[in-house]
């Protein structure tokens, strides 16, 4: 009976010692974790604050300038600035949006409406038409550099996928004849056989 009581006490002492060791180890781990977090926070490069580009306001202004009925700039300005007619722009825009949902306007994580389809397509086309840098397009479309480049890459992929079969193929014999006839009508009868002259 006495030995049983001693064994019971030793067992309780072992459990108490184990509990104190576990608490001490957890405290050390917790302290080490806090030190690592503080050091990581100090060493982490600071991220620049996001700019408020007033993207929704600029999107509405872009629509008012070029895309709505009775827009601020007439069709001749649109043709000059976008290097295509408005109806062709709209056709391409709808095809690209149907191909890649990235271009559709969506809400962001905060619930704010994102960029308009017209802003993304305009950014991509301005870079292609004028060889503009992303910073220059930012002033027009009010988009960040990474978003502009993403729009450009996705736009080019969509155009390649949608129009390769019809427009981006090698010219056939009939295409060459048609182009030669058109060139002759325009006053270039000597354009024979040169594929460079056909494009």
């Amino acid at each position: 009976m006495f030995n049983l009581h001693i064994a019971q006490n030793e067992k309780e002492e072992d459990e108490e010692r184990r509990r104190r060791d576990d608490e001490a180890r957890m405290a050390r781990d917790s302290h080490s974790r806090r030190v690592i977090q503080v050091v990581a926070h100090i060493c982490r490069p600071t991220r620049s604050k996001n700019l408020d580009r007033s993207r929704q306001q600029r999107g509405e202004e872009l629509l008012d300038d070029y895309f709505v009925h009775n827009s601020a700039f007439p069709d001749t300005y649109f043709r000059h600035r976008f290097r295509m007619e408005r109806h062709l722009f709209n056709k391409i825009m709808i095809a690209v949006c149907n191909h890649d949902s990235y271009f559709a306007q969506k809400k962001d994580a905060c619930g704010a409406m994102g960029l308009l389809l017209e802003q993304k397509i305009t950014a991509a086309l301005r870079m292609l038409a004028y060889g503009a840098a992303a910073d220059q397009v930012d002033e027009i479309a009010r988009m960040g550099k990474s978003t502009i480049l993403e729009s450009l890459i996705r736009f080019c992929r969509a155009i390649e996928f949608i129009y390769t079969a019809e427009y981006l193929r090698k010219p056939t014999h009939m295409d060459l004849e048609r182009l030669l006839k058109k060139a002759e009508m325009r006053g270039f009868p000597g354009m024979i056989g040169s594929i460079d002259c056909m494009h």
Side-chain angles (χ1 to χ4, degrees), residues 53-169:
R53 288 183 163 84
S54 304
R55 64 184 182 203
Q56 288 178 324
Q57 178 186 348
R58 181 60 192 129
E60 291 169 9
E61 290 171 359
L62 188 66
L63 290 177
D64 290 339
D65 288 347
Y66 297 106
F67 296 101
V68 297
H69 185 65
N70 292 330
S71 58
F73 296 101
D75 289 346
T76 53
Y77 281 78
F78 189 97
R79 172 78 176 90
H80 178 70
R81 292 180 180 167
F82 286 86
R83 307 295 173 123
M84 66 179 70
E85 300 290 342
R86 185 178 292 146
H87 69 86
L88 179 59
F89 181 96
N90 289 334
K91 180 183 174 184
I92 291 171
M93 181 174 67
I94 291 166
V96 167
C97 186
N98 288 337
H99 174 73
D100 189 347
S101 63
Y102 170 80
F103 290 95
Q105 186 181 30
K106 299 183 259 319
K107 289 185 177 180
D108 64 11
C110 300
M113 291 306 290
L115 294 159
L116 290 170
L117 167 62
E118 288 84 357
Q119 284 173 285
K120 293 177 183 177
I121 301 290
T122 297
L125 283 175
R126 288 290 174 102
M127 289 187 78
L128 292 170
Y130 294 105
D135 293 336
Q136 292 170 305
V137 177
D138 182 12
E139 294 176 357
I140 298 163
R142 298 290 172 92
M143 296 165 58
K145 183 177 180 179
S146 60
T147 308
I148 291 169
L149 296 175
E150 179 74 15
S151 297
L152 176 66
I153 290 167
R154 285 177 175 264
F155 178 80
C156 291
R157 284 183 189 152
I159 292 296
E160 184 179 0
F161 181 84
I162 297 165
Y163 295 110
T164 293
E166 189 174 354
Y167 297 109
L168 302 177
R169 57 178 169 73

Side-chain angles (χ1 to χ4, degrees), residues 175-187:
D175 291 331
L176 292 175
E177 284 182 9
R178 180 178 49 82
L179 291 170
L180 285 170
K181 191 178 284 184
K182 187 183 284 187
E184 192 173 335
M185 285 171 35
R186 292 183 179 175

